Each structure stands twice: as C-alpha cells, then as structure tokens.
C-alpha cells in the first residue's frame, strides 16, 4: 500500500462514521513491513467501513470483533482564557470533578496568529486564566 | 526471545495452519522492548497454534479471542501480461467488479531473471497487457 | 510531549524550511515511550530549525550531523490522463529514462469529486492514458 | 501525554492488579504519534483499572473486550546454579516436561555484584549447573 | 536478544557514562524483529560504551559517528509549588526567558504519597503556584 | 511503496553488497506511515546501492553519511554439539575470550528435521555439548 493512499483512507474513514482510526506498524511474512489500520465504530457503521477499507486499500480481508468502551462524559463549552473565550470540551472525571480542555484547533490558530509556541499557548490557556487577565499578551 | 527464533516461529506457524502471522513492536515493564506475535486462524487450529507458540517461544501465556472476518472472494487464475501468462488471483470487489492481481512470486522471478526492477515489472504487468503485446521486452 | 503539539510542530518545521520531517517511535529510560523528530534541511536553515524545535517542544537538546543526499532530478509537469491533464512530477531515473508521477493532491481531489477509490484513480491515471481516451468515466 | 506520566502509569496499573501492561506505538489523525496502553486483567479488576487510566491519562475513553488465555503452569522454586541457589520459576511445558527459569532480579543482582555480563550469568546459570560446580567463579 | 537483558543493558550504559540511551524497533532480514540500541555520549566515553555493548549483548558490531548537539542551558533549582518546594531544573529558552520544570522523581513521590494522579500533580505544581498558596491540598 | 516490493528490495541490496539492511517504521507528513530503509555498506559499494534503491523503490532521494564500526573478530568454524558438528562462528570478545555461536541455518535445519523447537536446539547445542554426548537424542 502506497502511504499516500493510507493518509487519504484515514480521512475517508472518519468522514463516513469512524469514531477513531489509528495506524500501527507491523511486520509480515517475507520481510514485509506493513501498516495495520484499526477502526473503532458503532455497530451500525461497521459494514460500510469494512466496504470502504476493502475498496480503498489492497487488503483482501478485514477482521472485526465487538468491544465495549468506557468514556468520560464530555460536552462542548466555551472556556475563558488569557486569549479570550476559546472552544473547549468540559470533561467529567471518574471522581465527579470537571475539567475543561481547550480544543486543539482553537489554540493552534492562536499560536499561528500570534507567532507563539503552541506549548506556550496551552500552558497559558490552561494555567490560571482569571488571575492573568491583566497580562500584556 | 532471540530474533532468529522469531523468524523461524513465523514459518512454523504458517506451516501448521495459521492464516496470518504478524509481529508488532511493544514496550514492556522494566524497559524491555518486546515483540507481539499475532496469529489469525480457524477455530479448529487454535489449540495447536497455541501449543506451538508456547513450545517454540519463551512466552508463558497466549491470549486469544474470537473474531470475524470479511474477505473478498478470490480465486487463482492466469493473467495475460507483456511477460506472458503469470499466476494471479482474481479478486471480486465490493462493487461487483473483478480485479486480477499477479502473484508476487511470479513477478519477483521475472524481475530476477530479466534484471528489471520489481516495481517496473508490476507496473508493466498490470498496466495494459493487451495493448503492449508488440513491445520489445 | 502532547501528540497534538507534535502534529503542529511538523507543520511549522516544513513552513520554515525543513525538506523532510519524520517521526520515529523510540523507547526511553523509565518505561517512557517517546517520539524522535527527524528533520532534513539545508545547512543554512539548520539553526532556525533547531531553535524552533527547542521552542516548540519540551526537548532540552537537539543532535545534528551533516549528511549528503543523492536525489533524482525532477521537475513539475502536466500529465495527460483519462481524467484530463493533472499536475505531476517528471522524474529522471538512474538509467536515464523519465517517469511521470501525478501529484497526490491532484488525484486525491479527483477521487473525492468523483467518489472513486484513490487506488483506482492512481491505477487509471498511470495505466495507459492515451489508449483509454474513449472510456466512459 | 507526557512520556514521564506513561512510565508512572505503568507502575500504578501493575500495583492495582494489572496482569500485564504494554505500550504500542500508533499513529493517529493530524500527524499525531501516540502510544496505546494495553492492559490484561482479571474481570473483577477491570473497572478499577479503567478508572485509573481515565484518571491518570488524558484519554477520554477506554476500549475493552473479553479474552481467554492459555498459560503454562508455573510455580516458584529454587534453582541450583554455579552461583548457588537462585530464585526461579518451574514451568510445565505442553509436552509435560518441566523447565526451570531463573528470575531476572536474582541474576541481575549477581551480574551487578560480580561485574559480569548478564548474558554470561544467564548462560552459566542455565547451562549445566551440576557439572560446573567446580568452576572457579 | 532477551528483552530482560536489554533493560539491564540500558541501566548499565547510563551508569558508565551514556548521556542518553534509546531503543528503536527495527526489522531485519529473515523476518527478524530487532531492537536498535542508540547511545549518545561524550567522545571520551565512546570506547568504553562500545565495549559494554559488545560484552553485554549478542551484537557483533557497533556503528558510530560524531554528532553535535545544541542544548538549552539548564541548572538545578528549587521551585515553589502548592506542594512546597520541589527539586526542579531552570531552563533558559532560545528567546532568553527562563522556565522552571519540576523533576519527575519529586512529583512522582508527591503523587504516590498523596494518592493523586501524576497528571494532576504536574498541573497544580506548574499552574500558578503563588496564587494558590491558600488552596486546601 | 508496496510491502512486497520492500521484501524484494532487501534481498537485492544484500546481493549487491549491503553489509546490513534494516527497516524502521516512521511517520511522515499527511498521516502517511512509511518505512525507512537503512543500509550499511563499504564506501566502495555506496553508489551502486544508492542506484538500486532509487531504481527499485519510489524514493526520490537517499541520504548518506560516513560512519565507523567496531566489530568483534569472527571466523567460521565447526562446533561440536550433541547433534554432531554444526557450522558456527568463533567470536573473540572484548576481554579476549572466545565464544562459539552456531549458525542459524544449521540449527534451524536440525529443528525441522527432528521436529524439535528451535529454542530447544539452541539450548542443547550451546549448553554443554561434551558432557551430553551420551544423551539419547
């Protein structure tokens, strides 16, 4: 499989319902390095995703098995930061506390516009937004 | 595990019924890099394959779980190419069309004998065999 | 290092002059899986790229050494295909022959618009464009 | 995820009941290299381990599925070696024979104290302990 | 190579002067998955480290080449946090600013003693230590 | 790159002078998993090997840099084992001692013919060949 095609396939799989797609490096017979495509999906989307993989790639077969998933409750929200309000997720932790996590795209955009390191943008957005409102940014 | 032994084990597992064997790099406790051996097999061959792994390797346990597989229908065939007839697989795609894929061993042999790049042999074999019958090869 | 940051860093490094950026999985002391960032660049861009890595990531040091590169001569061109003219690269091979390789972005766009598998678009674009001009696509 | 945290999490998971923990390198969307944490546990420990992962890491979800395991019977024992008695495991093989495997910690300690290569300590401990009792070590 | 031995070798190499040791998964001929041991060291320690690798492992050869390194200036310091003073590194960034990074061992110890997630300990230690002095911890 | 082609290329590179060839999994831009081909060779063979890679693969460039190598002196020999004489290498260690290592092919053949685990064949061949001459094998 051409790696260009694999990048394309990942996008396609997300578009038609994959909840998660990961690639893992594997090693096959006859000294062939390969890539395993792993897809997480709802049962109702399974067959369409299998078809897509068999159509888009040179794979001759796809294995699948049911699995459960424990997920933290999350909901979209706005988060106050030194950069102003940014799109975020509010996540409920196992111990009942909430945590707000800013969205990557929102912070990446700030980093690009202001010419800051993304690492720095994360640190400042998550740090202590209320106390730093008077910072010169 | 000695890597030499892993290569040997892969061959053995195919010989006694494995449908597929892959190695995946993993990282274990105490800074130990390891190799996961993953085997796909029919239910009837499972126990023999587990025995083989426990006999051939230093693994103390083998995990297994059932999985289903969606496979494209395929059958052996002969394919006309600019290099003459070569062993191939006829594969039926999800949309009902057929595709012929020449066998690796057949093309690798042609590449070795003629001193061509295997990439080139694939391209020419799959390209448009009928229209190129008059090429000087 | 947050993986979101690594994806961002790759983009940044290409923007400021990296010729190539790859990530490789490595295992470090104390059971820490890590990612090695590998950058190929011209000597004149080296220091700026090192600064960027030290600014954007949590790395405390960057190793570098000179290396040479043998590259095939290539130039942008247009390629006739069953899908019409598409952006491509003309590559001169070691044996003096030329090969045209369509650009990924051009074929990916065709695949998306027509709803075809990218694999199929590649095969048809590279196959035998002149002889298929009358195909119904 | 900070790799330092991953090393810590591995230790924690073993402490609260994991039978095995491995890390596998994966590649996610948007050019993000990641690490899959894979845990083997008894059904009764599953929920506590899932909670730990969701608490300790930035993962928003954990997948799980039942699996069986074929394990070789093993029991702790003492093994006579040229270095004296060392802690070991007696393992019963599929063919009914027993094999003694010295514990890593015991041999590593010997290697450190005597300034020998661990490879050498393994070879001598496993080689033929009875016949070498008169070796000068 | 037995993975147990590789973990041991990593420790040994650090003890005798390695500045950094990483393992990388590679694939060798005859379907053999292997591990590349990569060591960074000062020129004066090179020969001793090579000897150690050739003594401790089954490798028959070691490749080496000179490389330079750009490193951020760093010095040990104490850092005020909501958990009290902890051992840290003061790092000077390319732009001339300083950043304090608490030592992993110090925070891991706090996490273990207080039963907190290490992720949480990092966030609170780095967050905004001065303004949170009155938190109930 | 088709993985079948990579297996073929590895064989070719060894045939025309490569001293070692390894594959390493890497991640490239646009979510493309790739394989790095790493070749060790004598300076005199470098250009031919570069040509081969550029001819056989879709790579548009090859990087190279000089490196030194520390190798243990080794020479072919015959080794007495419980299975009779087998082809082996005599290796001189850094401390001046010699070690005999049986050749993989010789032991793999014994394992196949006798239906023994290769692991067992290694253990018995290296264990204590002289003292076991009277074993019933």
């Amino acid at each position: 499989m051409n790696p260009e095609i694999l990048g394309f396939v990942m996008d396609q799989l997300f578009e038609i319902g994959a909840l998660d797609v990961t690639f893992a490096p594997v090693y096959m017979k006859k000294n062939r390095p390969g890539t395993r495509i792993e897809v997480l999906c709802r049962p109702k989307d399974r067959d369409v995703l299998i078809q897509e993989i068999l159509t888009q790639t040179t794979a001759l077969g796809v294995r699948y098995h049911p699995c459960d998933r424990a997920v933290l409750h999350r909901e979209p929200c706005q988060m106050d930061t030194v950069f102003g309000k940014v799109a975020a997720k509010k996540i409920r932790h196992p111990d009942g506390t909430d945590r707000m996590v800013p969205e990557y795209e929102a912070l990446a955009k700030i980093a690009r516009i202001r010419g800051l390191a993304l690492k720095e943008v994360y640190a400042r957005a998550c740090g202590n937004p209320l106390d730093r409102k008077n910072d010169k940014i």
Side-chain angles (χ1 to χ4, degrees), chain A residues 38-43 46 50 62-68:
Chain A
E38 298 171 322
V39 179
L40 179 75
C41 70
R42 294 188 189 84
R46 193 191 67 198
I50 289 174
V62 173
R63 303 166 205 178
Y64 56 93
H65 64 93
C67 82
D68 282 297

Side-chain angles (χ1 to χ4, degrees), chain A residues 51-95:
Chain A
Q51 295 292 54
E52 186 73 10
I53 292 171
L54 292 174
T55 301
Q56 291 280 359
T57 74
T58 55
L60 300 180
V62 173
R63 303 166 205 178
Y64 56 93
H65 64 93
C67 82
D68 282 297
R69 204 163 55 133
V71 287
L72 297 179
H73 176 78
R74 63 198 117 166
E75 57 187 35
C77 67
Q78 292 286 313
M79 179 175 167
D80 277 316
T81 76
V82 283
F83 304 107
K85 281 188 189 304
V86 302
K89 274 193 287 283
K90 185 185 287 183
I91 296 163
R92 177 140 300 174
H93 269 188
D95 66 359

Side-chain angles (χ1 to χ4, degrees), chain A residues 2-136:
Chain A
N2 185 322
E4 293 186 350
I5 287 180
L6 282 172
F8 182 86
V9 169
M10 185 184 267
D11 288 346
Q12 293 296 107
L13 295 171
F14 275 116
E15 266 179 40
I16 63 174
L19 298 174
D20 199 18
V21 181
T22 49
F23 293 151
V26 295
Y27 193 40
M28 306 179 294
K29 63 180 177 181
K30 298 183 188 169
N31 278 318
R32 296 173 186 166
T35 298
R36 174 173 302 151
I37 304 176
E38 298 171 322
V39 179
L40 179 75
C41 70
R42 294 188 189 84
K44 72 173 179 60
D45 296 321
R46 193 191 67 198
D47 289 347
V48 167
L49 286 159
I50 289 174
Q51 295 292 54
E52 186 73 10
I53 292 171
L54 292 174
T55 301
Q56 291 280 359
T57 74
T58 55
L60 300 180
V62 173
R63 303 166 205 178
Y64 56 93
H65 64 93
C67 82
D68 282 297
R69 204 163 55 133
V71 287
L72 297 179
H73 176 78
R74 63 198 117 166
E75 57 187 35
C77 67
Q78 292 286 313
M79 179 175 167
D80 277 316
T81 76
V82 283
F83 304 107
K85 281 188 189 304
V86 302
K89 274 193 287 283
K90 185 185 287 183
I91 296 163
R92 177 140 300 174
H93 269 188
D95 66 359
T97 61
D98 284 339
R99 181 168 61 110
M100 281 197 293
V101 178
E103 293 291 351
Y104 165 75
E105 298 299 355
L107 297 197
K109 195 176 158 190
I110 291 169
R112 277 194 208 96
I113 289 174
R114 293 179 188 254
L116 293 171
L118 179 57
K119 173 182 75 175
E120 174 70 14
V121 173
Y122 263 100
R124 295 178 76 173
C126 300
N128 199 332
L130 298 179
D131 297 320
R132 282 183 176 163
K133 265 184 184 145
N134 301 322
D135 278 17
K136 293 176 203 126

